[in-house]
Amino acid sequence: MTGRRGKDAWTALGGRVYNITPYVAFHPGGGPELLRAAGRDGTRLFGEIHPWVNYEGMLASCMIGMLVEEGEEKKSEMDDMD
Ligand code: HEM
């Protein structure tokens, strides 16, 4: 609950969306620094600071899904059943 209005903070990295909330307290660069990427695509910011960090491994259990462009959402068969 470190995002805006008491919600979880999400970011996108390399085309994947992560809930970074559980990691905020552990980020070596500090919580506020990490949260600069919250609510947006953090790929460029991340790469400017530490491109060598293996975020895919570190945040594997925090992954939510793939980032898609607006209007690009794939409709699932489940929607048709509604
Ligand atoms: C979202 C995923 C992120 C992960 C998994 C992550 C992970 C890490 C790790 C492992 C380090 C230590 C690196 C080292 O000592 O070689 C670090 C340091 C740092 N991170 Fe991140 N980071 C993330 C995002 C960000 C973002 C978005 C920013 C800035 C906007 C940021 C800013 C920093 C800074 C400034 C340090 C350096 C701290 C120091 O050397 O004192 N990080 N991060």
Side-chain angles (χ1 to χ4, degrees):
M1 289 224 299
T2 42
R4 278 190 292 182
R5 295 189 210 113
K7 297 203 175 118
D8 280 352
W10 292 14
T11 193
L13 291 172
R16 293 188 165 90
V17 180
Y18 296 95
N19 179 356
I20 48 175
T21 306
Y23 184 62
V24 174
F26 303 100
H27 180 234
E33 199 60 8
L34 172 63
L35 289 172
R36 285 172 60 201
R40 59 201 195 95
D41 192 323
T43 308
R44 192 180 53 83
L45 210 48
F46 181 96
E48 278 171 7
I49 296 163
H50 39 41
W52 59 87
V53 171
N54 174 17
Y55 68 84
E56 283 174 293
M58 296 175 63
L59 299 177
S61 62
C62 298
M63 193 184 137
I64 290 167
M66 307 302 291
L67 182 67
V68 294
E69 294 297 325
E70 233 168 305
E72 193 195 325
E73 308 92 355
K74 215 190 269 166
K75 227 174 142 245
S76 88
E77 287 168 22
M78 297 298 275
D79 293 331
D80 295 332
M81 295 176 196
D82 286 344

